[in-house]
């Protein structure tokens, strides 16, 4: 049985004190009997403080991005070791905002994923089609390209450190959620592809989160689908009660 995994991506929101306040509130309000794995993903500068607040709690801490080189002349970038030093246990790679706003390619995403695994950090690999791709019937083609680029050729054991997040780009921050049927269909497709690339047991243990306008009132239904193993939450993770409402739905 895959344990549901709910992560809150705070994106470029909140000052350091605001991140700390939210982390404290989550730590205090998260019910002891929570079944899901829960994590938060603050902006880089707040990461050390948030990690300190959540140390020893049931809430994990990750980073929104990473750079694949170890150190050196890469102005503005943050390495895996720096993330570890700051208290992160994992990082997102390939978030749609990095792919489509910053222009990150599949090849860069892959390098980041490998660097993270090599340094012992876990990864949430985000994939998802744009609206025009869905409308042109190219959803599966896009998911296949991104999944293969991210995972093909990795050792089976590496997959233990990887979570996938299916985030249709048209559903992120738009208030439009994929229907449960659309989400389940995509998740089923992705799991099938992972089985093809690795094997059934890898595919069955891989967690696939859904992301894109997840809210407390649609979370339970989405995560109730057989192949939806949690949620990657943006906007609704910025307020403790709404995020905890989603966690409750897992
Ligand atoms: P959203 O963002 O919940 O605000 O749509 C999801 C994400 O980008 O991970």
């Amino acid at each position: 049985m895959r344990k549901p995994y709910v992560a809150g991506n705070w994106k470029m929101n909140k000052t350091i004190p605001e991140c700390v306040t939210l982390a404290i509130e989550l730590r205090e309000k998260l019910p002891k009997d929570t079944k899901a794995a829960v994590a938060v993903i603050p902006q880089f500068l707040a990461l050390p403080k948030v990690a300190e607040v959540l140390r020893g709690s049931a809430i994990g801490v990750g980073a929104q991005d990473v750079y694949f080189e170890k150190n050196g002349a890469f102005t503005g970038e943050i390495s895996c070791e720096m993330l570890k030093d700051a208290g992160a246990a994992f990082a997102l790679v390939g978030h749609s905002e990095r792919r489509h706003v910053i222009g990150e390619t599949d090849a860069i995403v892959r390098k980041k994923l490998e660097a993270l695994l090599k340094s012992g950090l876990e990864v949430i690999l985000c994939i998802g089609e744009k609206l025009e791709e869905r409308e042109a019937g190219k959803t599966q083609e896009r998911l296949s390209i991104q999944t293969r680029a991210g995972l093909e050729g990795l050792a089976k054991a590496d997959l233990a450190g990887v979570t996938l997040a299916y985030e249709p780009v048209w559903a992120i921050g738009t208030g439009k959620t994929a229907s449960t049927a659309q989400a389940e269909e995509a998740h089923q497709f992705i799991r099938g592809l992972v089985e093809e690339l690795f094997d059934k047991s890898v595919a069955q243990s891989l967690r696939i989160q859904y992301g894109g306008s997840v809210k407390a009132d649609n979370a339970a239904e989405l995560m109730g689908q057989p192949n939806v193993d949690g949620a990657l939450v943006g906007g609704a993770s910025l307020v403790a009660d709404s995020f905890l409402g989603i966690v409750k739905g897992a």
Side-chain angles (χ1 to χ4, degrees):
M1 224 352 234
R2 297 179 296 271
K3 184 177 179 172
Y5 182 13
V6 180
N9 173 11
W10 298 350
K11 307 193 180 182
M12 198 173 76
N13 292 297
K14 297 190 183 287
T15 60
I16 298 172
E18 286 166 352
C19 288
V20 168
T21 303
L22 178 54
I24 293 173
E25 197 179 347
L26 290 172
R27 185 189 67 195
E28 268 150 29
K29 288 187 170 171
L30 182 77
K32 295 262 173 304
D33 59 354
T34 297
K35 286 187 209 78
V38 179
V40 295
I41 315 173
Q43 44 107 332
F44 285 129
L45 300 178
L47 220 162
K49 286 244 161 103
V50 168
E52 201 179 300
V53 165
L54 296 177
R55 195 159 298 135
S57 78
I59 305 174
V61 182
Q64 297 175 15
D65 187 35
V66 69
Y67 196 59
F68 49 81
E69 295 287 355
K70 282 200 169 66
N71 59 276
F74 304 101
T75 301
E77 297 295 340
I78 308 268
S79 73
C80 296
E81 288 308 311
M82 291 167 188
L83 290 188
K84 279 206 298 204
D85 186 38
F90 71 94
L92 299 179
V93 295
H95 189 277
S96 80
E97 285 141 24
R98 298 225 45 100
R99 293 179 187 269
H100 304 302
V101 182
I102 315 287
E104 237 170 68
T105 61
D106 279 327
I108 292 174
V109 172
R110 172 62 178 250
K111 282 187 178 179
K112 292 182 172 186
L113 180 142
E114 284 187 13
L116 286 162
L117 293 177
K118 207 167 157 192
S119 67
L121 289 164
E122 296 194 349
V123 180
I124 298 179
L125 167 64
C126 307
I127 60 174
E129 81 287 359
K130 295 204 244 181
L131 183 60
E132 58 265 33
E133 290 166 332
R134 175 161 286 269
E135 285 172 345
K138 293 193 164 157
T139 297
Q140 295 192 346
E141 185 183 329
R142 173 56 52 203
L143 296 180
S144 167
I145 290 169
Q146 292 178 336
T147 305
R148 283 176 191 279
L151 302 181
E152 195 161 28
L154 291 179
K156 284 181 194 173
D158 285 339
L159 272 284
V162 177
T163 296
L164 281 187
Y166 168 60
E167 300 202 297
V169 179
W170 47 272
I172 296 179
T174 57
K176 280 187 208 147
T177 319
S179 68
T180 48
Q182 283 171 324
E184 174 60 16
E185 188 189 8
H187 283 231
Q188 220 173 55
F189 172 76
I190 296 161
R191 200 177 301 287
L193 190 62
V194 172
E195 180 171 340
E196 219 177 90
L197 293 175
F198 298 93
D199 62 28
K200 197 170 176 93
S201 109
V202 167
Q204 283 308 315
S205 27
L206 182 79
R207 285 191 294 205
I208 310 176
Q209 298 172 319
Y210 169 79
S213 300
V214 177
K215 305 271 180 298
D217 60 8
N218 59 24
E221 201 189 339
L222 281 161
M223 293 189 273
Q225 302 303 305
N227 285 289
V228 179
D229 310 312
L232 183 55
V233 187
S237 71
L238 296 173
V239 174
D241 290 338
S242 75
F243 184 60
L244 292 170
I246 293 169
V247 170
K248 202 172 148 200

